[in-house]
Amino acid sequence: IKESIWEKVPIVIVPHGKDQMENALRIERAGIGFIPETQNPSPIELKRLLTKATTSPWMKTKLEDLQKIFVARENASPKPSVGIISAVVAP
């Protein structure tokens, strides 16, 4: 998911188990991808969703907005992870 956002590539996800459905729902709610209606989508259905995802101006905008957030967090100083580690481990 992170790589898709970094590269601004929409996602078509077919969840099959474990945490995949939760991630698929997050992707769909964020507006950066689609979930097929069935667990075994046909090639035609996948092509339809891929075309819809890659031609959606709205989805492109959502991916660009999320990528900007990722870039800003990556360039933050100190890194968010440093703050978390510092809070847990005394200097």
Side-chain angles (χ1 to χ4, degrees), residues 57-75:
W58 185 78
M59 195 167 286
K60 181 180 178 183
T61 299
K62 295 298 282 181
L63 285 161
E64 288 171 351
D65 292 346
L66 283 171
Q67 187 210 41
K68 287 176 189 172
I69 292 168
F70 276 36
V71 169
R73 297 291 262 170
E74 188 69 22
N75 293 330

Side-chain angles (χ1 to χ4, degrees), residues 1-27:
I1 296 169
K2 184 176 180 178
E3 287 79 9
S4 292
I5 294 169
W6 270 110
E7 299 299 326
K8 298 182 279 187
V9 176
I11 302 168
V12 173
I13 185 168
V14 183
H16 289 287
K18 300 192 181 186
D19 64 343
Q20 292 178 7
M21 182 53 83
E22 289 177 27
N23 289 329
L25 292 171
R26 284 186 184 106
I27 288 165

Side-chain angles (χ1 to χ4, degrees), residues 27-77:
I27 288 165
E28 199 167 63
R29 279 193 303 265
I32 60 170
F34 295 113
I35 306 169
E37 292 181 18
T38 65
Q39 282 231 286
N40 296 308
S42 69
I44 293 169
E45 173 69 359
L46 288 173
K47 182 178 179 181
R48 184 186 71 77
L49 289 174
L50 287 166
T51 300
K52 184 177 175 183
T54 57
T55 59
S56 168
W58 185 78
M59 195 167 286
K60 181 180 178 183
T61 299
K62 295 298 282 181
L63 285 161
E64 288 171 351
D65 292 346
L66 283 171
Q67 187 210 41
K68 287 176 189 172
I69 292 168
F70 276 36
V71 169
R73 297 291 262 170
E74 188 69 22
N75 293 330
S77 183

